[in-house]
Amino acid sequence: MPPEKPSVVDSLDDDDYPAYTMGRAAAMLGTTPAFLRAIGEARLITPLRSEGGHRRYSRYQLRLAARARELVDQGTPVEAACRIIVLEDQLEEALRLNEEMRSRAQDPAADKSS
């Protein structure tokens, strides 16, 4: 039996669904397609490609691009801005995991039910 195709509504709710073209993404961010290409080359985001080879961006990628634009507007070079964002993301994940481990340590019964 083939896997079920996600509904259109499910796709729209998906933060990782590549819904935006390069032109639309640039317009939403108030930037240029060249900026989006630059942060792609710096490996901050990797847009998916349509069947025709056009870049498509997700909402999550647009949030990263918006943060990069903030840093660049403050005078940070693109490469450095991208590295800062990656480090911020890693820190956020480490803090989340730390909090999760603390919660488990405070409630040993939670480990037994999992």
Side-chain angles (χ1 to χ4, degrees), residues 21-41 45 47 55 57:
T21 63
M22 178 180 273
R24 181 69 183 131
M28 290 170 67
L29 296 169
T31 190
T32 64
F35 177 78
L36 292 172
R37 283 191 293 276
I39 62 174
E41 289 169 12
I45 59 176
R55 291 173 179 89
Y57 298 89

Side-chain angles (χ1 to χ4, degrees), residues 38-97:
I39 62 174
E41 289 169 12
R43 296 184 181 183
L44 177 62
I45 59 176
T46 304
L48 289 168
R49 298 281 183 151
S50 68
E51 288 182 21
H54 300 281
R55 291 173 179 89
R56 304 284 294 191
Y57 298 89
S58 68
R59 287 186 301 195
Y60 174 73
Q61 290 172 326
L62 294 184
R63 282 196 299 275
L64 293 177
R67 176 70 178 126
R69 179 161 184 227
E70 285 176 17
L71 291 170
V72 168
D73 286 350
Q74 294 170 4
T76 307
V78 171
E79 291 278 340
C82 292
R83 184 67 181 137
I84 289 167
I85 294 165
V86 167
L87 291 170
E88 287 174 343
D89 212 32
Q90 289 172 346
L91 176 59
E92 185 178 315
E93 178 66 7
L95 292 172
R96 186 191 65 75
L97 290 172

